[in-house]
Amino acid sequence: MSEQSKSPQAPDRTPRVVIAGAGMAGVQTAVALREQGWRGAITLLGDEPHQPYDRPPLSKAVLLGKAEGSAFDIDFAALGIGLRLGCPVTALRPAERVVETAEGPIRYDYAVIATGAEPIRLPGGDELPDVHLLRTLDDAERLRPVLAAQHRIVVVGAGWIGAEFATAAREAGCEVTVVEAADHPLAGALPAEVAAYMTDWYTDAGADLRTGARVASLAPGAVALADGTTLPADAVVVGVGARPATGWLAGSGVALSPEDGSVLADERLRTSVPDVYAVGDCASFPSARYGTRLLVHHWDNALQGPRTVAENIAGGEAAGVVYDPVPYFWSEQFGRFVQYAGHHVDADELVWRGDPAGAAWSVIWLRGEGQDRAGAAEGGAGRPAGRLVALLAVGRPRDLAQGRRLIEKGALLDRERAADAAVPLKSAVR
């Protein structure tokens, strides 16, 4: 026997990327790494037992029984991606370059935090079998027979998920009451003057929307409101928002936002810990475009961000790829296709395009930059211009497509022409 055969086996030093989270952000990071030429090992850790799946269909086709699931059509084995399901992460130990899991530690050269967000729960809801969330495939499977039985359902929260669930429940023939603590639906995303026109959508669909209604307590078969009203409910669906799933990072040294708990990623989606990145719903990032830090809980962010992470890992420090997207999301509710691109604040000027009482209309937000001298000189009419920063389109996909490109370019729009729904947005550029 040779001396070489007697020697102990050398440790495996294959460069390894460990990705915590097998949702859209984690899966797309793994795939993008291979596309960028990463030849090392990739381990993808998922806390659910299911094959990785897409979430948007959960509140639509899966919930209504029109689809059995929404698994990604990806051959992980063929890509050389080690997929470990039912394996939740429990801690990150950067000093040892280890991700701790329920099955033991895993060494990494690069780690990617992609654990997403977890739904906010109502006090007492976990103890009641008829109180539901809608975040996972298992949640949708538990809710499917509830809709099929055409139960009386109370939806807590008139945000995006609440509106989508109410839409599906009405389509299934359920009696639906939606309670919202704010004075208008979509309060976290849109101003009251815009959301006011969406209130009628609930009534038209046969759903009862109650704004300014706070839940005092939950009990079997009933929801008690702060004003003393008691709503009968065969089932309650809670959709009051989500927060980054970052509790497992306690003690890791990874900097988290004290406001929302998100990982404080930099412009390259690097964390405060060397060789650790963060992407998707769990991470906020600085936007030079908007001059603020953004936390985006939407599908497109979980699709786009992984490309930046993959390029920076595969290309090394020299890659220096910056992530500064125009946020985008969509929602299907009460027979309408609603799309939003960009980011606005209260100080931005709101401009209507079309009649919001109709079937198709848009709203744009212009960032007040005063009289734009260059634009006025070129236009010759002296009209003030504003930089397009955000757009909401209801049944106007062309506005969305053109507006998104104009936001990316930082285009200045003539306010008067932009307000004319008959004028294409691209024709309103100064």
Side-chain angles (χ1 to χ4, degrees):
M1 184 178 291
S2 68
E3 290 299 315
Q4 183 176 3
S5 64
K6 293 179 183 179
S7 62
Q9 185 175 3
D12 179 10
R13 291 306 305 164
T14 302
R16 179 182 298 276
V17 177
V18 176
I19 303 169
M24 169 65 82
V27 166
Q28 291 300 322
T29 298
V31 172
L33 280 166
R34 290 298 185 225
E35 291 175 345
Q36 291 299 318
W38 174 260
R39 300 175 68 85
I42 300 174
T43 301
L44 182 62
L45 306 173
D47 60 353
E48 296 183 53
H50 311 290
Q51 282 291 310
Y53 59 88
D54 203 5
R55 293 191 188 277
L58 298 186
S59 60
K60 305 173 185 71
V62 175
L63 189 62
L64 290 170
K66 298 178 180 179
E68 290 304 313
S70 54
F72 294 115
D73 185 17
I74 296 171
D75 190 335
F76 293 98
L79 290 172
I81 297 169
L83 182 60
R84 297 178 64 170
L85 301 175
C87 184
V89 292
T90 57
L92 179 71
R93 295 194 278 118
E96 300 157 73
R97 303 182 80 84
V98 159
V99 174
E100 289 284 1
T101 77
E103 298 177 359
I106 302 177
R107 179 189 63 80
Y108 71 81
D109 293 280
Y110 295 95
V112 180
I113 301 167
T115 41
E118 52 196 9
I120 297 172
R121 301 169 184 270
L122 290 184
D126 290 347
E127 289 76 42
L128 299 174
D130 58 347
V131 175
H132 302 262
L133 301 169
L134 181 52
R135 181 70 180 178
T136 68
L137 179 59
D138 287 339
D139 292 336
E141 293 291 351
R142 282 190 289 267
L143 277 165
R144 186 186 291 184
V146 173
L147 268 62
Q150 298 184 337
H151 281 312
R152 293 172 302 177
I153 299 176
V154 172
V155 181
V156 182
W160 299 110
I161 191 66
E164 290 188 357
F165 178 82
T167 299
R170 285 300 300 142
E171 183 176 336
C174 298
E175 180 182 325
V176 178
T177 300
V178 182
V179 295
E180 168 58 51
D183 62 1
H184 62 277
L186 300 173
L190 299 174
E193 62 186 301
V194 175
Y197 290 95
M198 299 174 168
T199 301
D200 290 340
W201 298 358
Y202 289 80
T203 303
D204 294 344
D208 179 11
L209 172 64
R210 304 190 183 195
T211 57
R214 294 185 176 275
V215 174
S217 63
L218 301 174
V223 176
L225 302 182
D227 65 2
T229 303
T230 298
L231 301 173
D234 299 309
V236 178
V237 176
V238 179
V240 293
R243 57 171 60 96
T246 54
W248 67 282
L249 293 169
S252 67
V254 172
L256 304 179
S257 165
E259 286 80 29
D260 55 37
S262 65
V263 177
L264 293 172
D266 69 5
E267 71 281 357
R268 301 184 192 178
L269 298 182
R270 299 173 298 187
T271 73
S272 58
V273 170
D275 300 326
V276 178
Y277 291 75
V279 67
D281 290 3
C282 65
S284 58
F285 56 90
S287 170
R289 184 190 309 278
Y290 291 106
T292 190
R293 177 169 285 272
L294 298 180
L295 174 60
V296 182
H297 282 182
H298 293 293
W299 184 90
D300 192 65
N301 178 54
L303 176 67
Q304 303 296 337
R307 298 171 186 169
T308 297
V309 171
E311 288 183 63
N312 284 323
I313 291 177
E317 193 64 29
V321 179
V322 171
Y323 187 60
D324 195 4
V326 172
Y328 166 73
F329 65 88
W330 78 95
S331 176
E332 296 178 56
Q333 47 187 276
F334 307 114
R336 296 165 176 84
F337 190 48
V338 183
Q339 296 173 283
Y340 178 94
H343 172 74
H344 73 271
V345 296
D346 291 344
D348 296 326
E349 181 184 358
L350 186 155
V351 178
W352 293 94
R353 284 175 57 81
D355 180 4
W361 49 275
S362 297
V363 173
I364 63 173
W365 283 267
L366 302 178
R367 185 136 298 176
E369 298 180 348
Q371 181 75 26
D372 183 75
R373 296 179 182 176
E378 292 175 8
R383 297 192 188 98
R387 181 165 62 91
L388 181 64
V389 295
L391 180 142
L392 172 76
V394 178
R396 288 180 66 95
R398 182 174 298 178
D399 272 7
L400 189 286
Q402 293 184 11
R404 193 176 183 183
R405 289 193 292 268
L406 295 175
I407 294 170
E408 290 173 347
K409 296 176 181 177
L412 293 172
L413 300 190
D414 179 291
R415 285 173 170 83
E416 183 177 323
R417 290 182 61 75
D420 186 345
V423 174
L425 273 176
K426 63 183 181 181
S427 298
V429 175
R430 296 297 300 265

